[in-house]
Amino acid sequence: MKKVLTAALLLLGAGSAALAALPTPRPYSGCGVLILKEGTGWPLESIALYQEPGVQRVAETRPQALPRLSGDDAEPLLAASERRGDWVRVALDEAGRQGWLAKARGWEYREWRDFLPGRTVRLLPGLKKEWYQLRLAPGGDASAAPPLSRDREVRVLEVEKEWARIETPAGWLRWRDPDGRLTVSLKYDTKQKNH
């Protein structure tokens, strides 16, 4: 019995070590971004998140604890999966749970087509080759240009659905995959905040 218990504990320890080694999944892009800008009463001690806008509280947390796309603790940038008036649905944790929060004064919601142009993004490493493929026009059937290297930073000029036209080298790339997960990471610094 003692040997079985020891073996079970060893297997449990090995399994949890393997789970800890799993990479964090790429974030979902959603419909836009929510920028938690500093304003009256910032930093907030906690914010409430709801099952539906204003109905059935599911969590209370600090804004800085929510999974963010980029930004610092002073201005976290969150992926918004849905918007209804002044309510925005965001991820609560890396496990994919979501909740609605009321947009505070000074916070800014922007759709991707308005947010990405003029910004610098970095191609994520470790993706399928097709996500590094530059196209001469938006669409998977468009003529291919030379592929980009992973970790490359590019400047977005225009967004058409899941395609972004970049400046140098000139062409189109997918900024999110068919599942809605980002293929790029965002740089969000003070130079880009006011675009």
Side-chain angles (χ1 to χ4, degrees), residues 72-91:
D72 54 21
D73 283 345
E75 278 193 22
L77 181 70
L78 311 178
S81 60
E82 192 175 345
R83 180 181 178 201
R84 293 184 198 162
D86 283 341
W87 289 87
V88 181
R89 191 170 171 199
V90 298

Side-chain angles (χ1 to χ4, degrees), residues 118-138:
R119 298 190 183 277
T120 300
V121 297
R122 184 179 56 85
L123 295 160
L124 292 172
L127 302 177
K128 294 179 184 177
K129 288 168 73 173
E130 65 187 284
W131 306 131
Y132 302 112
Q133 184 61 61
L134 195 61
R135 301 281 175 181
L136 298 177

Side-chain angles (χ1 to χ4, degrees), residues 21-190:
L22 290 175
T24 305
R26 289 180 287 128
Y28 284 106
S29 62
C31 58
V33 295
L34 181 64
I35 306 163
L36 307 185
K37 292 185 173 191
E38 292 184 22
T40 308
W42 187 268
L44 298 174
E45 291 299 317
S46 67
I47 54 173
L49 291 107
Y50 295 85
Q51 182 72 33
E52 290 294 326
V55 178
Q56 191 177 351
R57 185 182 289 205
V58 293
E60 192 165 317
T61 188
R62 292 179 19 259
Q64 297 84 353
L66 294 171
R68 62 181 171 225
L69 298 173
S70 69
D72 54 21
D73 283 345
E75 278 193 22
L77 181 70
L78 311 178
S81 60
E82 192 175 345
R83 180 181 178 201
R84 293 184 198 162
D86 283 341
W87 289 87
V88 181
R89 191 170 171 199
V90 298
L92 294 169
D93 53 32
E94 299 295 342
R97 293 185 315 142
Q98 296 190 347
W100 290 88
L101 60 88
K103 195 166 82 72
R105 182 181 308 196
W107 292 4
E108 184 180 349
Y109 169 82
R110 306 233 348 241
E111 292 185 12
W112 285 107
R113 70 173 182 256
D114 301 324
F115 179 79
L116 279 178
R119 298 190 183 277
T120 300
V121 297
R122 184 179 56 85
L123 295 160
L124 292 172
L127 302 177
K128 294 179 184 177
K129 288 168 73 173
E130 65 187 284
W131 306 131
Y132 302 112
Q133 184 61 61
L134 195 61
R135 301 281 175 181
L136 298 177
D141 297 333
S143 299
L148 299 169
S149 59
R150 59 182 163 206
D151 284 329
R152 173 145 187 188
E153 289 188 355
V154 294
R155 187 168 183 269
V156 176
L157 299 173
E158 174 185 359
V159 171
E160 189 174 306
K161 297 184 182 175
E162 65 274 353
W163 292 89
R165 184 167 64 92
I166 62 170
E167 185 173 50
T168 306
W172 291 82
L173 66 90
R174 291 208 53 163
W175 62 273
R176 65 178 166 195
D177 68 18
D179 293 332
R181 291 192 182 272
L182 292 171
T183 61
V184 298
S185 67
L186 305 176
K187 284 183 72 173
Y188 186 66
D189 57 31
T190 51

